Amino acid sequence: MSQQSQEQYQFISAILTKHIGAGANIDDLQFFYGGNFNLAVRVKTGISEYFIKWTQGEHQGLFEAEAKNLQLIQKTGTINVPSVLGVGTLDEKEYLMMDCIQSAEKSTHYWSDFGGKLAHLHQQHAAKGHGLDYDNYLGAAKQENTWQADGVQFFIQNRLKKQVDTAIYNRKISAEMEEKFNGLYEKLPQLIPNESSALLHGDLWSGNAMVNAQGEITLVDPCCYFGLREAELAFTTMFGGFPTEFYEAYHRTFPIEKDFHQRIPLYNLYPLMVHVNLFGEGYLPAVTKILSSY
């Protein structure tokens, strides 16, 4: 075993000892790279299997916020998420330890069940309005969740404007594009419905939708907030979308206003601008195309 591997083994063993007690012998390790973290591992012991991920000192508070997100969704009883077993800092690395999802084939009703359960999640509202009591991360992008009574203004100020300001500061977009966004801000209250807040997963795409041992949905990697639910449904279309039965089941449970498909590009300006700031200007043509329509 290399020195690096030995250090990782000791690090993982220390986390297991802290949260499930001494004597949990590690039978197998499977490492994963990428995503919202620097490193993650699936750990098999004589007791059970666990999933642990950790940072290398960056994005302070990322996993503390993610643990809160998972617990927030879990408390609603609407849709499955992994249980949080531990979160903390060890050797200057922030970590999150969870139950490991045992996967199976999708059930025949997987997508309709998923759509209905997401609709029930979105029926959870916040008296404070739109936002959350803490900030979190969409990928590696800080997501500010300061409460606002108005959902459209929350979307403008806490989502679009934050990303546009970051892009301007880092010279990733032009002043001309910023002006186009400023013009759009004035029009948005007439373009998207200002609904009551809904509890959102916040990063809902196929990579964060897992199949559990019962063949049903378990969501991972949430970056929750109370916001406009259409923004979440629009996000699901970013990387190919979900089958029709998912959206039909959602609509049966919690109907959305007509002409939603026309509003999808407006909501997806937020994740597109996050991608501009994290990954570069390759996402700008899509942003330009959307802005040109308004």
Side-chain angles (χ1 to χ4, degrees), residues 142-189:
K142 187 72 175 288
Q143 187 167 259
E144 295 188 25
N145 296 319
T146 306
W147 290 99
Q148 293 206 36
D150 185 284
V152 176
Q153 288 305 313
F154 177 89
F155 182 65
I156 293 169
Q157 300 297 329
N158 291 53
R159 294 296 177 259
L160 295 181
K161 198 169 187 304
K162 293 290 184 184
Q163 293 302 316
V164 170
D165 288 349
T166 299
I168 281 288
Y169 180 82
N170 292 319
R171 299 182 180 180
K172 293 192 173 183
I173 66 171
S174 65
E176 180 184 2
M177 178 171 281
E178 182 185 28
E179 281 305 307
K180 288 182 179 180
F181 269 105
N182 289 336
L184 179 64
Y185 301 154
E186 296 179 5
K187 300 173 185 176
L188 275 177

Short mmCIF file of all heavy atoms in Angstrom, two decimals, residues 142-189:
data_model
loop_
_atom_site.label_atom_id
_atom_site.label_comp_id
_atom_site.label_asym_id
_atom_site.label_seq_id
_atom_site.Cartn_x
_atom_site.Cartn_y
_atom_site.Cartn_z
N LYS A 142 -21.04 29.20 -4.65
CA LYS A 142 -21.76 29.62 -3.44
C LYS A 142 -23.15 30.09 -3.84
O LYS A 142 -23.33 30.85 -4.78
CB LYS A 142 -20.99 30.76 -2.75
CG LYS A 142 -21.55 31.16 -1.39
CD LYS A 142 -21.26 30.10 -0.36
CE LYS A 142 -21.68 30.53 1.06
NZ LYS A 142 -20.80 31.56 1.61
N GLN A 143 -24.15 29.61 -3.09
CA GLN A 143 -25.53 29.96 -3.36
C GLN A 143 -26.07 30.73 -2.15
O GLN A 143 -26.21 30.17 -1.07
CB GLN A 143 -26.35 28.68 -3.61
CG GLN A 143 -27.76 28.92 -4.05
CD GLN A 143 -28.43 27.66 -4.58
OE1 GLN A 143 -28.55 27.48 -5.77
NE2 GLN A 143 -28.87 26.78 -3.68
N GLU A 144 -26.37 32.00 -2.35
CA GLU A 144 -26.83 32.86 -1.25
C GLU A 144 -28.35 32.79 -1.15
O GLU A 144 -29.06 32.97 -2.15
CB GLU A 144 -26.35 34.29 -1.47
CG GLU A 144 -24.84 34.40 -1.40
CD GLU A 144 -24.35 35.84 -1.43
OE1 GLU A 144 -25.13 36.74 -1.02
OE2 GLU A 144 -23.21 36.06 -1.86
N ASN A 145 -28.84 32.58 0.07
CA ASN A 145 -30.25 32.28 0.27
C ASN A 145 -30.97 33.26 1.18
O ASN A 145 -31.95 32.90 1.84
CB ASN A 145 -30.40 30.86 0.84
CG ASN A 145 -29.91 29.80 -0.13
OD1 ASN A 145 -30.15 29.87 -1.33
ND2 ASN A 145 -29.19 28.81 0.39
N THR A 146 -30.52 34.50 1.21
CA THR A 146 -31.17 35.52 2.04
C THR A 146 -32.66 35.59 1.72
O THR A 146 -33.05 35.67 0.56
CB THR A 146 -30.53 36.89 1.79
OG1 THR A 146 -29.12 36.80 1.99
CG2 THR A 146 -31.10 37.93 2.73
N TRP A 147 -33.48 35.57 2.76
CA TRP A 147 -34.93 35.52 2.58
C TRP A 147 -35.48 36.74 1.86
O TRP A 147 -35.04 37.87 2.13
CB TRP A 147 -35.63 35.39 3.93
CG TRP A 147 -35.43 34.07 4.60
CD1 TRP A 147 -34.53 33.78 5.58
CD2 TRP A 147 -36.15 32.86 4.34
NE1 TRP A 147 -34.64 32.46 5.95
CE2 TRP A 147 -35.62 31.87 5.21
CE3 TRP A 147 -37.17 32.52 3.46
CZ2 TRP A 147 -36.10 30.57 5.23
CZ3 TRP A 147 -37.66 31.22 3.48
CH2 TRP A 147 -37.12 30.25 4.36
N GLN A 148 -36.45 36.51 0.99
CA GLN A 148 -37.22 37.58 0.36
C GLN A 148 -38.67 37.13 0.27
O GLN A 148 -38.95 35.96 0.02
CB GLN A 148 -36.69 37.91 -1.04
CG GLN A 148 -35.29 38.52 -1.03
CD GLN A 148 -35.04 39.39 -2.25
OE1 GLN A 148 -35.93 40.07 -2.73
NE2 GLN A 148 -33.81 39.38 -2.72
N ALA A 149 -39.56 38.08 0.45
CA ALA A 149 -40.99 37.76 0.40
C ALA A 149 -41.44 37.44 -1.03
O ALA A 149 -42.31 36.59 -1.25
CB ALA A 149 -41.81 38.92 0.96
N ASP A 150 -40.82 38.09 -1.99
CA ASP A 150 -41.23 37.99 -3.39
C ASP A 150 -40.35 36.97 -4.12
O ASP A 150 -39.13 37.11 -4.17
CB ASP A 150 -41.11 39.37 -4.05
CG ASP A 150 -41.61 39.39 -5.48
OD1 ASP A 150 -40.90 38.89 -6.36
OD2 ASP A 150 -42.72 39.92 -5.70
N GLY A 151 -41.00 35.96 -4.72
CA GLY A 151 -40.24 34.89 -5.36
C GLY A 151 -39.50 35.32 -6.60
O GLY A 151 -38.37 34.87 -6.85
N VAL A 152 -40.10 36.18 -7.41
CA VAL A 152 -39.43 36.64 -8.63
C VAL A 152 -38.22 37.50 -8.27
O VAL A 152 -37.15 37.38 -8.87
CB VAL A 152 -40.41 37.40 -9.55
CG1 VAL A 152 -39.67 37.95 -10.77
CG2 VAL A 152 -41.54 36.48 -9.99
N GLN A 153 -38.37 38.37 -7.26
CA GLN A 153 -37.24 39.20 -6.85
C GLN A 153 -36.12 38.35 -6.23
O GLN A 153 -34.95 38.65 -6.41
CB GLN A 153 -37.71 40.27 -5.86
CG GLN A 153 -38.54 41.37 -6.50
CD GLN A 153 -37.83 42.02 -7.68
OE1 GLN A 153 -36.64 42.38 -7.59
NE2 GLN A 153 -38.54 42.17 -8.79
N PHE A 154 -36.50 37.28 -5.52
CA PHE A 154 -35.48 36.37 -5.02
C PHE A 154 -34.70 35.77 -6.18
O PHE A 154 -33.47 35.69 -6.14
CB PHE A 154 -36.13 35.25 -4.19
CG PHE A 154 -35.14 34.22 -3.71
CD1 PHE A 154 -34.49 34.38 -2.50
CD2 PHE A 154 -34.85 33.09 -4.47
CE1 PHE A 154 -33.56 33.44 -2.06
CE2 PHE A 154 -33.93 32.15 -4.04
CZ PHE A 154 -33.28 32.33 -2.83
N PHE A 155 -35.42 35.32 -7.21
CA PHE A 155 -34.77 34.73 -8.38
C PHE A 155 -33.84 35.74 -9.06
O PHE A 155 -32.72 35.39 -9.47
CB PHE A 155 -35.83 34.22 -9.35
CG PHE A 155 -35.27 33.55 -10.57
CD1 PHE A 155 -34.56 32.37 -10.48
CD2 PHE A 155 -35.47 34.11 -11.83
CE1 PHE A 155 -34.04 31.75 -11.62
CE2 PHE A 155 -34.96 33.50 -12.97
CZ PHE A 155 -34.24 32.32 -12.86
N ILE A 156 -34.27 36.98 -9.14
CA ILE A 156 -33.45 38.02 -9.78
C ILE A 156 -32.24 38.33 -8.92
O ILE A 156 -31.09 38.28 -9.40
CB ILE A 156 -34.28 39.29 -10.02
CG1 ILE A 156 -35.37 39.05 -11.08
CG2 ILE A 156 -33.38 40.45 -10.46
CD1 ILE A 156 -36.38 40.16 -11.19
N GLN A 157 -32.46 38.68 -7.66
CA GLN A 157 -31.39 39.19 -6.80
C GLN A 157 -30.44 38.10 -6.32
O GLN A 157 -29.22 38.29 -6.31
CB GLN A 157 -32.00 39.93 -5.59
CG GLN A 157 -32.87 41.11 -5.95
CD GLN A 157 -32.08 42.22 -6.67
OE1 GLN A 157 -30.89 42.41 -6.42
NE2 GLN A 157 -32.75 42.94 -7.56
N ASN A 158 -30.98 36.96 -5.90
CA ASN A 158 -30.16 35.93 -5.26
C ASN A 158 -29.66 34.86 -6.22
O ASN A 158 -28.79 34.07 -5.86
CB ASN A 158 -30.94 35.23 -4.14
CG ASN A 158 -31.19 36.13 -2.96
OD1 ASN A 158 -31.71 37.23 -3.12
ND2 ASN A 158 -30.83 35.69 -1.77
N ARG A 159 -30.22 34.83 -7.42
CA ARG A 159 -29.80 33.83 -8.38
C ARG A 159 -29.14 34.48 -9.61
O ARG A 159 -27.93 34.38 -9.79
CB ARG A 159 -31.01 32.95 -8.79
CG ARG A 159 -31.54 32.11 -7.61
CD ARG A 159 -30.51 31.10 -7.14
NE ARG A 159 -30.96 30.34 -5.98
CZ ARG A 159 -30.59 30.59 -4.74
NH1 ARG A 159 -29.75 31.59 -4.47
NH2 ARG A 159 -31.02 29.83 -3.74
N LEU A 160 -29.91 35.15 -10.43
CA LEU A 160 -29.34 35.71 -11.66
C LEU A 160 -28.29 36.78 -11.37
O LEU A 160 -27.17 36.71 -11.88
CB LEU A 160 -30.46 36.29 -12.54
CG LEU A 160 -31.47 35.29 -13.10
CD1 LEU A 160 -32.50 36.01 -13.97
CD2 LEU A 160 -30.78 34.19 -13.90
N LYS A 161 -28.65 37.78 -10.57
CA LYS A 161 -27.75 38.91 -10.39
C LYS A 161 -26.43 38.50 -9.72
O LYS A 161 -25.36 39.02 -10.07
CB LYS A 161 -28.43 40.02 -9.59
CG LYS A 161 -27.75 41.38 -9.72
CD LYS A 161 -28.61 42.50 -9.14
CE LYS A 161 -27.99 43.85 -9.45
NZ LYS A 161 -26.59 43.99 -8.97
N LYS A 162 -26.49 37.57 -8.77
CA LYS A 162 -25.26 37.12 -8.11
C LYS A 162 -24.30 36.51 -9.13
O LYS A 162 -23.09 36.78 -9.09
CB LYS A 162 -25.58 36.09 -7.03
CG LYS A 162 -26.36 36.63 -5.84
CD LYS A 162 -25.53 37.56 -5.00
CE LYS A 162 -26.33 38.00 -3.77
NZ LYS A 162 -25.58 39.00 -2.96
N GLN A 163 -24.82 35.71 -10.04
CA GLN A 163 -23.96 35.07 -11.04
C GLN A 163 -23.47 36.06 -12.08
O GLN A 163 -22.32 35.99 -12.53
CB GLN A 163 -24.70 33.91 -11.71
CG GLN A 163 -25.00 32.76 -10.77
CD GLN A 163 -23.74 32.18 -10.13
OE1 GLN A 163 -22.73 31.98 -10.82
NE2 GLN A 163 -23.77 31.94 -8.83
N VAL A 164 -24.34 36.99 -12.48
CA VAL A 164 -23.92 38.02 -13.44
C VAL A 164 -22.84 38.91 -12.84
O VAL A 164 -21.83 39.22 -13.50
CB VAL A 164 -25.14 38.86 -13.90
CG1 VAL A 164 -24.70 40.07 -14.70
CG2 VAL A 164 -26.09 38.00 -14.73
N ASP A 165 -23.00 39.30 -11.58
CA ASP A 165 -21.99 40.13 -10.92
C ASP A 165 -20.65 39.39 -10.84
O ASP A 165 -19.59 39.99 -11.05
CB ASP A 165 -22.45 40.51 -9.51
CG ASP A 165 -23.58 41.53 -9.51
OD1 ASP A 165 -23.87 42.09 -10.58
OD2 ASP A 165 -24.18 41.76 -8.44
N THR A 166 -20.70 38.09 -10.54
CA THR A 166 -19.47 37.29 -10.48
C THR A 166 -18.81 37.22 -11.85
O THR A 166 -17.57 37.36 -11.97
CB THR A 166 -19.78 35.87 -9.98
OG1 THR A 166 -20.32 35.94 -8.66
CG2 THR A 166 -18.52 35.01 -9.96
N ALA A 167 -19.62 37.04 -12.88
CA ALA A 167 -19.08 36.94 -14.24
C ALA A 167 -18.47 38.26 -14.69
O ALA A 167 -17.43 38.28 -15.37
CB ALA A 167 -20.18 36.51 -15.20
N ILE A 168 -19.09 39.37 -14.33
CA ILE A 168 -18.53 40.69 -14.66
C ILE A 168 -17.20 40.90 -13.94
O ILE A 168 -16.21 41.35 -14.53
CB ILE A 168 -19.53 41.81 -14.30
CG1 ILE A 168 -20.62 41.91 -15.37
CG2 ILE A 168 -18.83 43.15 -14.14
CD1 ILE A 168 -20.16 42.50 -16.69
N TYR A 169 -17.17 40.56 -12.66
CA TYR A 169 -15.96 40.74 -11.85
C TYR A 169 -14.79 39.94 -12.43
O TYR A 169 -13.66 40.41 -12.47
CB TYR A 169 -16.24 40.30 -10.41
CG TYR A 169 -15.04 40.44 -9.49
CD1 TYR A 169 -14.72 41.66 -8.92
CD2 TYR A 169 -14.25 39.33 -9.19
CE1 TYR A 169 -13.63 41.80 -8.08
CE2 TYR A 169 -13.15 39.45 -8.35
CZ TYR A 169 -12.85 40.68 -7.80
OH TYR A 169 -11.75 40.81 -6.98
N ASN A 170 -15.09 38.73 -12.91
CA ASN A 170 -14.04 37.86 -13.46
C ASN A 170 -13.87 38.02 -14.97
O ASN A 170 -13.18 37.24 -15.61
CB ASN A 170 -14.36 36.40 -13.13
CG ASN A 170 -14.24 36.11 -11.65
OD1 ASN A 170 -13.34 36.58 -10.98
ND2 ASN A 170 -15.18 35.33 -11.12
N ARG A 171 -14.53 39.04 -15.52
CA ARG A 171 -14.42 39.39 -16.96
C ARG A 171 -14.80 38.22 -17.87
O ARG A 171 -14.19 38.00 -18.91
CB ARG A 171 -13.01 39.88 -17.27
CG ARG A 171 -12.63 41.13 -16.49
CD ARG A 171 -11.26 41.62 -16.85
NE ARG A 171 -10.91 42.83 -16.09
CZ ARG A 171 -9.76 43.50 -16.21
NH1 ARG A 171 -8.84 43.05 -17.06
NH2 ARG A 171 -9.53 44.57 -15.49
N LYS A 172 -15.83 37.50 -17.48
CA LYS A 172 -16.31 36.39 -18.31
C LYS A 172 -17.46 36.79 -19.21
O LYS A 172 -17.80 36.05 -20.14
CB LYS A 172 -16.70 35.21 -17.41
CG LYS A 172 -15.50 34.59 -16.72
CD LYS A 172 -15.82 33.27 -16.07
CE LYS A 172 -14.55 32.61 -15.54
NZ LYS A 172 -14.81 31.27 -14.97
N ILE A 173 -18.10 37.91 -18.91
CA ILE A 173 -19.14 38.43 -19.80
C ILE A 173 -18.88 39.92 -20.03
O ILE A 173 -18.16 40.57 -19.26
CB ILE A 173 -20.56 38.23 -19.24
CG1 ILE A 173 -20.78 39.04 -17.96
CG2 ILE A 173 -20.85 36.75 -19.00
CD1 ILE A 173 -22.23 39.05 -17.48
N SER A 174 -19.48 40.45 -21.07
CA SER A 174 -19.29 41.86 -21.43
C SER A 174 -20.27 42.76 -20.70
O SER A 174 -21.31 42.30 -20.19
CB SER A 174 -19.48 42.03 -22.94
OG SER A 174 -20.83 41.74 -23.28
N ALA A 175 -19.97 44.04 -20.68
CA ALA A 175 -20.89 45.02 -20.11
C ALA A 175 -22.19 45.04 -20.91
O ALA A 175 -23.28 45.28 -20.35
CB ALA A 175 -20.24 46.41 -20.12
N GLU A 176 -22.11 44.75 -22.19
CA GLU A 176 -23.31 44.71 -23.02
C GLU A 176 -24.24 43.59 -22.58
O GLU A 176 -25.46 43.77 -22.50
CB GLU A 176 -22.92 44.50 -24.49
CG GLU A 176 -24.12 44.44 -25.44
CD GLU A 176 -23.71 44.14 -26.87
OE1 GLU A 176 -22.50 43.93 -27.13
OE2 GLU A 176 -24.61 44.11 -27.73
N MET A 177 -23.68 42.42 -22.26
CA MET A 177 -24.50 41.32 -21.78
C MET A 177 -25.10 41.66 -20.42
O MET A 177 -26.27 41.33 -20.14
CB MET A 177 -23.71 40.02 -21.70
CG MET A 177 -24.53 38.85 -21.16
SD MET A 177 -23.71 37.25 -21.28
CE MET A 177 -24.00 36.86 -23.01
N GLU A 178 -24.34 42.31 -19.57
CA GLU A 178 -24.88 42.72 -18.27
C GLU A 178 -26.09 43.64 -18.45
O GLU A 178 -27.09 43.50 -17.74
CB GLU A 178 -23.80 43.44 -17.45
CG GLU A 178 -24.28 43.85 -16.07
CD GLU A 178 -23.26 44.67 -15.30
OE1 GLU A 178 -22.44 45.36 -15.95
OE2 GLU A 178 -23.30 44.64 -14.05
N GLU A 179 -26.01 44.54 -19.41
CA GLU A 179 -27.13 45.44 -19.68
C GLU A 179 -28.36 44.66 -20.18
O GLU A 179 -29.50 45.00 -19.85
CB GLU A 179 -26.73 46.50 -20.71
CG GLU A 179 -25.91 47.64 -20.12
CD GLU A 179 -26.63 48.30 -18.95
OE1 GLU A 179 -27.81 48.71 -19.12
OE2 GLU A 179 -26.04 48.38 -17.85
N LYS A 180 -28.13 43.63 -20.95
CA LYS A 180 -29.25 42.80 -21.41
C LYS A 180 -29.92 42.09 -20.23
O LYS A 180 -31.14 41.97 -20.17
CB LYS A 180 -28.77 41.79 -22.45
CG LYS A 180 -28.43 42.42 -23.79
CD LYS A 180 -28.01 41.38 -24.81
CE LYS A 180 -27.71 42.03 -26.16
NZ LYS A 180 -27.29 41.05 -27.18
N PHE A 181 -29.11 41.64 -19.29
CA PHE A 181 -29.67 41.06 -18.07
C PHE A 181 -30.46 42.11 -17.29
O PHE A 181 -31.56 41.83 -16.80
CB PHE A 181 -28.57 40.47 -17.19
CG PHE A 181 -28.26 39.03 -17.45
CD1 PHE A 181 -27.12 38.66 -18.14
CD2 PHE A 181 -29.12 38.03 -17.00
CE1 PHE A 181 -26.84 37.31 -18.38
CE2 PHE A 181 -28.84 36.69 -17.24
CZ PHE A 181 -27.70 36.33 -17.93
N ASN A 182 -29.92 43.31 -17.18
CA ASN A 182 -30.62 44.38 -16.46
C ASN A 182 -31.99 44.65 -17.08
O ASN A 182 -32.98 44.88 -16.37
CB ASN A 182 -29.79 45.66 -16.44
CG ASN A 182 -28.57 45.54 -15.54
OD1 ASN A 182 -28.56 44.72 -14.61
ND2 ASN A 182 -27.55 46.34 -15.80
N GLY A 183 -32.04 44.62 -18.40
CA GLY A 183 -33.32 44.81 -19.08
C GLY A 183 -34.28 43.67 -18.81
O GLY A 183 -35.49 43.88 -18.65
N LEU A 184 -33.73 42.45 -18.74
CA LEU A 184 -34.57 41.28 -18.47
C LEU A 184 -35.15 41.34 -17.06
O LEU A 184 -36.32 40.96 -16.85
CB LEU A 184 -33.75 40.00 -18.64
CG LEU A 184 -34.50 38.69 -18.37
CD1 LEU A 184 -35.65 38.50 -19.37
CD2 LEU A 184 -33.55 37.50 -18.43
N TYR A 185 -34.36 41.81 -16.09
CA TYR A 185 -34.85 41.90 -14.72
C TYR A 185 -36.15 42.69 -14.64
O TYR A 185 -37.05 42.36 -13.86
CB TYR A 185 -33.82 42.55 -13.80
CG TYR A 185 -32.48 41.85 -13.72
CD1 TYR A 185 -31.32 42.55 -13.39
CD2 TYR A 185 -32.35 40.48 -13.97
CE1 TYR A 185 -30.09 41.93 -13.31
CE2 TYR A 185 -31.11 39.84 -13.89
CZ TYR A 185 -29.98 40.58 -13.57
OH TYR A 185 -28.75 39.97 -13.49
N GLU A 186 -36.26 43.73 -15.42
CA GLU A 186 -37.45 44.58 -15.40
C GLU A 186 -38.66 43.85 -15.98
O GLU A 186 -39.81 44.12 -15.60
CB GLU A 186 -37.19 45.87 -16.18
CG GLU A 186 -36.10 46.75 -15.57
CD GLU A 186 -35.85 48.01 -16.38
OE1 GLU A 186 -36.59 48.24 -17.37
OE2 GLU A 186 -34.92 48.76 -16.03
N LYS A 187 -38.41 42.92 -16.90
CA LYS A 187 -39.51 42.22 -17.57
C LYS A 187 -39.96 40.95 -16.84
O LYS A 187 -41.10 40.51 -17.01
CB LYS A 187 -39.08 41.83 -18.99
CG LYS A 187 -38.71 43.01 -19.88
CD LYS A 187 -38.13 42.52 -21.22
CE LYS A 187 -37.64 43.67 -22.07
NZ LYS A 187 -36.99 43.20 -23.32
N LEU A 188 -39.08 40.37 -16.03
CA LEU A 188 -39.36 39.06 -15.44
C LEU A 188 -40.66 39.00 -14.62
O LEU A 188 -41.36 37.98 -14.67
CB LEU A 188 -38.18 38.60 -14.59
CG LEU A 188 -37.06 37.88 -15.35
CD1 LEU A 188 -35.91 37.54 -14.42
CD2 LEU A 188 -37.57 36.61 -16.02
N PRO A 189 -41.01 40.05 -13.85
CA PRO A 189 -42.26 39.94 -13.09
C PRO A 189 -43.49 39.70 -13.97
O PRO A 189 -44.50 39.18 -13.49
CB PRO A 189 -42.34 41.29 -12.37
CG PRO A 189 -40.92 41.71 -12.22
CD PRO A 189 -40.26 41.26 -13.48
#
